[in-house]
Amino acid sequence: MAWELGVLTGLADAGVDLVAADLFVGTSAGSVVAAQVTSGVPLAELYDLQLAPPRSEVAARIGVRTLAGWGLAMLRTRDGRSFRRRVGRAALAARTMPEAERRAVIASRLRADAWPAARLLVTAVDTATGEFEVFDRDAGVDLLDAVGASCAVPGVWPPVTIDGRRFMDGGMRSPTNADLARGARRIVVIAPTSTGGGAFGRLSDEVAALRRTGQVVVVRPDRAARRAIGRNVLDPARRAPAARAGRAQAAAVAAAVAEIWNS
């Protein structure tokens, strides 16, 4: 989250206003960022919040057992939906904080309680069926629940209940789900993680398909940003350095993004 907001702020410093986009696709942490930047709250204010001490945040880690479970599920099937069903079963069985407590954490991050006027797509996965779900303002789902579902890392955070169904992180289908932007003419993918393959969608495949009809640029963390983020992407203590690293990195990618965005 913090790195993404840093990148967006740095690009705005360079005259590249991605907040003016027609479409936002949010997956996992990206769903929080997309909901924040479309809320009407100034980007500079959202960035400054990343520099404040994370008093309301709960430290977490994707443990070895969780990663091993994902790996085992992938070895047993390369079919994406079957893989997600296996992970979903583990997510439902995992011991996590109560769902209501996690919902309060997500609420403290969002700066709005209603879907924005801009088109926002929030991704999630049904834990029981492995079905990929895309929520928008016409889905009849509360924005807070949609974002909470997209951020529900299986084995770490509790699945989110929506209309009797339990949903987990949309990143279990693809790290970015960038393919949802198909048909757009100018696309900027801000991808803090982009590893794919096997049961996960590959960003490279998604970008190749998007380039058939539009221009695409991908921004990933550089070496300094990866160092600032650290090995544990769920550590709130890394938020301020990650935000600063994202803002600094934006200067190096601004020309490439502007070539597409401002053309």
Side-chain angles (χ1 to χ4, degrees):
M1 270 181 54
W3 174 79
E4 290 182 43
L5 284 166
V7 169
L8 289 170
T9 303
L11 289 173
D13 294 340
V16 185
D17 182 17
L18 296 186
V19 177
D22 299 313
L23 169 67
F24 295 82
V25 177
T27 291
S28 201
S31 70
V32 179
V33 174
Q36 288 177 327
V37 301
T38 57
S39 68
V41 176
L43 186 56
E45 181 177 330
L46 294 171
Y47 175 79
D48 287 344
L49 286 171
Q50 305 311 302
L51 308 182
R55 295 188 180 91
S56 65
E57 295 288 342
V58 178
R61 176 182 294 274
I62 303 175
V64 173
R65 181 176 295 181
T66 297
L67 291 172
W70 296 356
L72 183 60
M74 190 175 294
L75 287 173
R76 289 179 173 174
T77 175
R78 291 210 172 247
D79 171 68
R81 191 163 178 174
S82 297
F83 162 74
R84 294 190 294 271
R85 281 199 301 268
R86 289 179 181 274
V87 174
R89 287 196 294 269
L92 293 171
R95 291 186 177 182
T96 64
M97 68 162 52
E99 188 176 340
E101 187 176 333
R102 175 62 177 167
R103 193 176 194 271
V105 172
I106 299 296
S108 71
R109 294 178 181 172
L110 295 186
R111 308 299 288 179
D113 56 6
W115 287 87
R119 189 175 179 220
L120 169 61
L121 305 181
V122 176
T123 66
V125 170
D126 187 312
T127 55
T129 66
E131 180 182 357
F132 180 59
E133 192 80 25
V134 181
F135 298 113
D136 63 13
R137 63 172 172 257
D138 297 323
V141 172
D142 189 272
L143 176 63
L144 176 55
D145 290 329
V147 171
S150 192
C151 294
V153 180
V156 179
W157 306 121
V160 172
T161 305
I162 299 176
D163 293 333
R165 299 164 66 189
R166 305 292 302 284
F167 290 92
M168 63 181 179
D169 200 312
M172 299 313 294
R173 186 250 189 182
S174 160
T176 61
N177 293 298
D179 55 313
L180 294 180
R182 57 186 173 273
R185 290 180 300 150
R186 292 175 291 172
I187 303 163
V188 180
V189 183
I190 300 179
T193 59
S194 57
T195 303
F200 288 99
R202 293 180 186 272
L203 178 57
S204 58
D205 293 339
E206 294 171 353
V207 168
L210 292 172
R211 282 183 173 148
R212 293 172 191 154
T213 56
Q215 301 179 79
V216 186
V217 62
V218 179
V219 181
R220 299 180 178 89
D222 60 12
R223 181 177 297 179
R226 292 195 299 271
R227 196 161 50 240
I229 293 169
R231 293 186 177 182
N232 179 15
V233 298
L234 301 181
D235 182 3
R238 309 301 300 173
R239 193 164 66 187
R244 293 189 180 99
R247 190 171 190 175
Q249 181 184 350
V253 302
V257 178
E259 184 177 357
I260 287 179
W261 201 253
N262 294 344
S263 62

